[in-house]
Amino acid sequence: MVSDSKLRTTDGNGTALDWEREITGLEAVERRVLWLAAAIVDHANRVRPNPSGMKVGGHQASSASMTSIMTALWFHALTSQDRVSVKPHASPVLHAINYLLGELDESYLTTLRAFGGLQSYPSRSKDPDPVDYSTGSVGIGATAPLWGALARRYVEGRFGGVGTGRQYSLLGDAELDEGAIWEAIQDPMVPGMGEVVWVVDLNRQSLDRVVPGIAAERLQGMFAAAGWQVLTLKYGHLLLELFTRPGGKALRDRIDSMGNPEYQRLLRCSADQLRERLPGTGSTAAPIAELIASLDDASLLAALRNLGGHDIGALMDAYDAVDDTRPTVIFAYTVKGYRLPTEGHPQNHSSLLTADQMRDLADALGTDPNHPWATFAADSAEAALCTSAAQRLRRPGYALQQAPAVPADLGRTAPTGAGNTQQALGRVLLDLTRQAPEAAGRIVTVSPDVSSSTNLGGWLNKVGVWSPSERPNWFADDAETILHWREQPTGQHVELGIAETNLVGVLGELGATWSRWGQPLLPIGVVYDPFVNRALEPWSFGIYAGGQSILVGTPSGVTLAPEGGAHQSITTPSLGIEQPGCVTYEPAFSLDTEWCLLAALGNLGHPDGSSAYLRLSTRPVDQSLAAVPSDPVARERRRRQVTAGAYRLRQHENPAVTLAAMGALIPESLAAADRLVALGYGVDVVCVTSPDLLFRALQARRGLAKDQSWILDQVFPAERATPLVTVLDGHPHTLAFLGTVQNVPVTTLGVTRFGQSGTVEDVHRYHGIDADSIVAAALDLVD
């Protein structure tokens, strides 16, 4: 427990007096922040015209429980180097604070949840005022500052100039139900991040109810066991002072042992009802009744609500007590809806104050409801406090460093023999260290304990593993050790525990360094493709927040035949089509992989950049099937087509059918083409490398997007339009749209069932994506 700061005594130099003045000023600012937050929501719902009649929403109660915590943080503790992730439902508080700091124009205060206005939840990319972390997806915004701390350390260690600073997460207690929270806390990287501070708004309510057993002590123990400093702010100065009086211990024991629902119900009581209910029963009832009898009604009601999370002095003490050698969590007990007429009500989560209640609130907080956006008088102490905080928090500008040029082609001779696209990943990274060292120096790879099994071993041996400090490699002299685990601050590979959400959380923050500090990185995360769906939501949220990265899913598909259905991905091929801010590639050959990866790297680290998803395979494929042109001009044309989405792998003089195949099923498609030609049917074979880019091109041709459509004319020209069979190692709907390019009959082959263990041939036959099935589908179309 951090003791209440208002119980301090002077040290003879006026310190206590200065402290009291600061608290008084902060409490005045807090009242204005509370009013502004409530008024922002009120205007959006009750004042602004709403022709549709649809509920706009907002969270006055959730905002009210955070006003003290955020006021003390911004106006007392924060520095210009600190970053804060604000819980989604407290966004009106953030905008109110930014307004008082001069960071938000008044015109935006009436635009909450309006088109082009203040977003429903804090957004780095869409809000007009400073937002450090996008939040809104429960658990993701809370953990983002952990990975932001890692990204800052990485950039500072390699390039310098980004300074230090704490990374704060402001989260609700119900958010601690999210598994992503505990995956992050338990990662081996986290205990060493002393700049991380979490503040838990412990209001003991969720969306629907008062949580009957929040078990704060258990949560505190879990953080402590993970190596965190744990600070608890349960009571404020009024209650702490009452506890020192006769009967005070009995009162404290009574409140400590009280269930959450009972406490919340007491908040809804009048003073008379409270005098009847609070003492409870048993031997302690009399001393409690005698103690509270000495209080007037106003003091009694105020004392019951005087929790640590609403006590400015206690909060200031807590922020000042943070131990920067390890992560810190502050459990701040609060009341949901504090000071609002809805405080403590089980269903106050989305409730809105009426016009009469807003007028009463204005009176209680000393504001004028007819001038809701009024700031403090220019000559007031509160205005001086806001000006001082704004100056302290003004951040230095960071000029955006231009990302080094990534070559489009490394000039490698077309491979021969068998190879797979996963192997090509590691080879390209090593080639870059030799041919483009500046670009390679910006690459940082991340994996959740699968480096060796995803062909990153050679790269890892070359660049080392990142660690805040150098650690000894006790197996360096072991001749049988192939993977050299050199951990040092200059390493370029980040190894996490087995948790995909942590992987993509780190990717998002490493991919945002260009916009935070002007230092672009080229982050690549590698994960087993069957687990990409598990990581998709947090990765998507990272993209939304401005993080640009490459996610590599490998190995993939039912070509993982012996692994069985649990390790076979089905839906991932279409993810890039559906994910904004991302391009998806699924190359078939090693050289295609090189070109796609280089194109994806070249799109990272600048305002117009884009993330990418590469789906790779461990299936060996005869590389000579790629038939890469030897002529430099023809080779460049092939490269451009590969990175634009597709190319014609075979072209018959008189085609009767077209096979459009993707990834590891190219061999089956070529074998089927040979058989169809032998049967007298000419076949064109198209190798699709990006269904996403082809779909964009189709939309552009229809006037529905701004992308270029030239690739369609080269790969699916009208004069060669024939019935079409599409085939891939994934769900067939991924390529189904290709039939509309020239409006031809189409049959789509792919995987629609859980897999089976067996040989690749057995599994392909089971799913109907073997050469026999392709031939049969084509014959059905042309006969």
Side-chain angles (χ1 to χ4, degrees):
M1 172 76 71
V2 174
S3 61
D4 180 71
S5 56
K6 288 193 175 183
L7 300 182
R8 293 183 177 203
T9 57
T10 183
D11 60 4
N13 296 315
T15 301
L17 182 60
D18 292 341
W19 192 262
E20 292 288 347
R21 286 194 185 120
E22 183 176 3
I23 290 174
T24 300
L26 287 174
E27 287 175 341
V29 171
E30 174 198 15
R31 290 192 291 273
R32 187 60 54 89
V33 169
L34 174 59
W35 165 256
L36 287 170
I40 288 171
V41 178
D42 179 68
H43 190 281
N45 287 272
R46 197 177 54 80
V47 180
R48 190 171 69 217
N50 183 8
S52 71
M54 294 289 291
K55 178 183 177 182
V56 176
H59 298 86
Q60 290 173 322
S62 292
S63 293
S65 69
M66 289 292 296
T67 52
S68 309
I69 291 169
M70 293 176 66
T71 299
L73 182 59
W74 259 265
F75 293 90
H76 169 76
L78 283 186
T79 73
S80 62
Q81 296 290 339
D82 298 337
R83 298 290 186 271
V84 187
S85 174
V86 177
K87 80 171 190 176
H89 294 158
S91 64
V93 182
L94 176 61
H95 298 310
I97 288 174
N98 280 335
Y99 173 60
L100 293 177
L101 293 174
E103 296 285 359
L104 181 66
D105 189 79
E106 180 181 324
S107 61
Y108 281 104
L109 299 180
T110 60
T111 67
L112 180 69
R113 301 190 173 200
F115 187 80
L118 300 176
Q119 299 300 296
S120 303
Y121 309 121
S123 171
R124 281 194 77 221
S125 57
K126 296 184 180 296
D127 271 317
D129 52 333
V131 174
D132 293 329
Y133 291 96
S134 295
T135 59
S137 187
V138 176
I140 296 174
T143 58
L146 292 172
W147 317 128
L150 188 153
R152 186 207 60 77
R153 288 192 184 194
Y154 185 92
V155 172
E156 176 66 23
R158 288 195 64 81
F159 308 108
V162 302
T164 57
R166 290 177 181 171
Q167 301 279 339
Y168 288 88
S169 288
L170 309 181
L171 63 154
D173 48 12
E175 200 163 4
L176 294 176
D177 291 343
E178 272 293 332
I181 296 282
W182 301 104
E183 286 184 348
I185 289 171
Q186 295 180 70
D187 191 272
M189 283 279 187
V190 171
M193 293 181 181
E195 63 267 51
V196 170
V197 180
W198 285 15
V199 184
V200 179
D201 172 17
L202 201 69
N203 60 44
R204 293 166 284 181
Q205 284 188 235
S206 62
L207 190 150
D208 292 327
R209 61 175 181 160
V210 176
V211 180
I214 199 68
E217 293 79 8
R218 177 176 57 84
L219 293 172
Q220 293 159 8
M222 292 168 71
F223 276 95
W228 289 50
Q229 177 191 23
V230 179
L231 303 176
T232 301
L233 302 179
K234 189 168 186 179
Y235 300 118
H237 73 284
L238 295 178
L239 277 173
L240 289 174
E241 195 279 327
L242 275 181
F243 295 156
T244 65
R245 299 185 190 182
K249 182 180 183 305
L251 176 62
R252 183 167 196 158
D253 290 344
R254 163 82 169 119
I255 297 176
D256 279 343
S257 62
M258 187 181 297
N260 296 330
E262 182 182 3
Y263 175 78
Q264 300 285 99
R265 181 63 186 89
L266 291 179
L267 294 173
R268 310 288 300 168
C269 290
S270 65
D272 289 341
Q273 292 171 327
L274 194 56
R275 294 182 193 281
E276 178 183 346
R277 292 190 179 198
L278 181 57
T281 59
S283 60
T284 60
I288 294 174
E290 184 177 349
L291 172 60
I292 63 177
S294 66
L295 303 176
D296 58 44
D297 288 353
S299 297
L300 176 59
L301 293 172
L304 183 69
R305 290 155 173 76
N306 183 226
L307 300 181
H310 298 303
D311 191 288
I312 292 291
L315 286 161
M316 292 164 65
D317 271 345
Y319 294 140
D320 292 346
V322 169
D323 176 5
D324 287 322
T325 66
R326 54 181 173 151
T328 295
V329 60
I330 300 172
F331 285 94
Y333 280 73
T334 62
V335 174
K336 192 166 185 175
Y338 181 63
R339 285 182 172 165
L340 304 182
T342 59
E343 66 178 357
H345 193 282
Q347 282 83 53
N348 66 5
H349 182 79
S350 298
S351 63
L352 299 169
L353 271 61
T354 66
D356 289 341
Q357 288 174 329
M358 286 296 295
R359 282 191 290 270
D360 292 343
L361 181 65
D363 290 342
L365 298 177
T367 60
D368 182 355
N370 297 316
H371 299 90
W373 317 125
T375 55
F376 296 110
D379 59 349
S380 66
E382 293 83 2
L385 182 59
C386 292
T387 300
S388 173
Q391 292 173 346
R392 184 181 74 249
L393 297 176
R394 188 164 293 121
R395 291 173 179 168
Y398 295 100
L400 176 59
Q401 303 294 311
Q402 186 172 357
V406 178
D409 189 346
L410 297 176
R412 178 181 282 270
T413 303
T416 58
N420 64 59
T421 55
Q422 179 177 292
Q423 292 170 339
L425 168 67
R427 191 202 69 214
V428 172
L429 293 178
L430 288 175
D431 284 350
L432 279 170
T433 64
R434 294 184 288 267
Q435 298 191 39
E438 283 192 43
R442 294 276 174 170
I443 293 175
V444 53
T445 55
V446 188
S447 70
D449 199 36
V450 292
S451 302
S452 56
S453 58
T454 52
N455 283 87
L456 288 182
W459 161 260
L460 192 147
N461 287 342
K462 177 76 174 178
V463 302
V465 178
W466 180 81
S467 174
S469 59
E470 189 160 356
R471 297 174 181 173
N473 178 12
W474 297 107
F475 289 86
D477 59 348
D478 187 337
E480 296 182 7
T481 299
I482 299 175
L483 192 64
H484 303 299
W485 206 259
R486 294 179 294 111
E487 296 182 86
Q488 53 201 1
T490 58
Q492 290 180 243
H493 175 77
V494 177
E495 185 84 359
L496 300 167
I498 303 176
E500 287 76 17
T501 55
N502 291 348
L503 165 83
V504 295
V506 172
L507 274 185
E509 291 307 314
L510 291 171
T513 59
W514 66 273
S515 60
R516 290 196 190 281
W517 302 291
Q519 290 287 358
L521 296 176
L522 309 180
I524 303 173
V526 182
V527 64
Y528 287 168
D529 196 70
F531 308 140
V532 164
N533 280 322
R534 190 183 303 174
L536 184 59
E537 187 215 354
W539 188 53
S540 174
F541 210 79
I543 295 173
Y544 169 76
Q548 299 170 9
S549 62
I550 298 172
L551 182 63
V552 178
T554 184
S556 65
V558 299
T559 50
L560 275 170
E563 294 280 354
H567 276 63
Q568 295 174 1
S569 53
I570 297 172
T571 63
T572 52
S574 65
L575 293 180
I577 297 178
E578 300 151 10
Q579 175 59 55
C582 169
V583 178
T584 186
Y585 293 104
E586 186 168 345
F589 300 105
S590 296
L591 196 54
D592 294 356
T593 305
E594 174 187 308
W595 290 335
C596 292
L597 180 59
L598 294 175
L601 287 169
N603 274 332
L604 300 178
H606 53 85
D608 297 325
S610 170
S611 293
Y613 164 59
L614 270 69
R615 189 175 189 251
L616 305 182
S617 173
T618 53
R619 188 192 184 190
V621 172
D622 180 0
Q623 298 299 301
S624 67
L625 296 176
V628 180
S630 58
D631 180 81
V633 175
R635 175 188 171 105
E636 172 59 15
R637 182 174 186 269
R638 167 70 69 86
R639 185 200 66 79
R640 289 183 66 245
Q641 291 179 335
V642 165
T643 57
Y647 59 94
R648 303 184 74 78
L649 187 55
R650 285 192 187 176
Q651 183 167 301
H652 195 274
E653 60 184 13
N654 185 27
V657 67
T658 299
L659 306 182
M662 189 165 73
L665 289 184
I666 281 291
E668 280 74 14
S669 301
L670 292 175
D674 290 339
R675 290 169 55 184
L676 287 166
V677 169
L679 291 172
Y681 299 98
V683 180
D684 284 350
V685 179
V686 173
C687 180
V688 175
T689 54
S690 175
D692 176 21
L693 292 178
L694 293 182
F695 183 77
R696 296 187 196 188
L698 184 60
Q699 292 291 86
R701 195 170 75 176
R702 293 168 173 165
L704 300 175
K706 295 181 180 180
D707 299 88
Q708 296 182 341
S709 62
W710 61 266
I711 188 65
L712 300 179
D713 298 326
Q714 292 189 5
V715 179
F716 299 102
E719 64 272 17
R720 302 189 67 83
T722 63
L724 178 67
V725 177
T726 66
V727 58
L728 73 153
D729 188 355
H731 200 282
H733 86 277
T734 306
L735 299 178
F737 69 92
L738 290 178
T740 67
V741 174
Q742 296 297 346
N743 294 317
V744 298
V746 61
T747 296
T748 58
L749 303 180
V751 180
T752 58
R753 295 179 289 171
F754 288 114
Q756 298 278 354
S757 295
T759 65
V760 171
E761 293 75 16
D762 289 339
V763 172
H764 282 183
R765 189 178 306 111
Y766 171 76
H767 289 288
I769 53 176
D770 58 329
D772 286 350
S773 299
I774 298 172
V775 169
L779 291 175
D780 286 342
L781 286 174
V782 299
D783 279 352

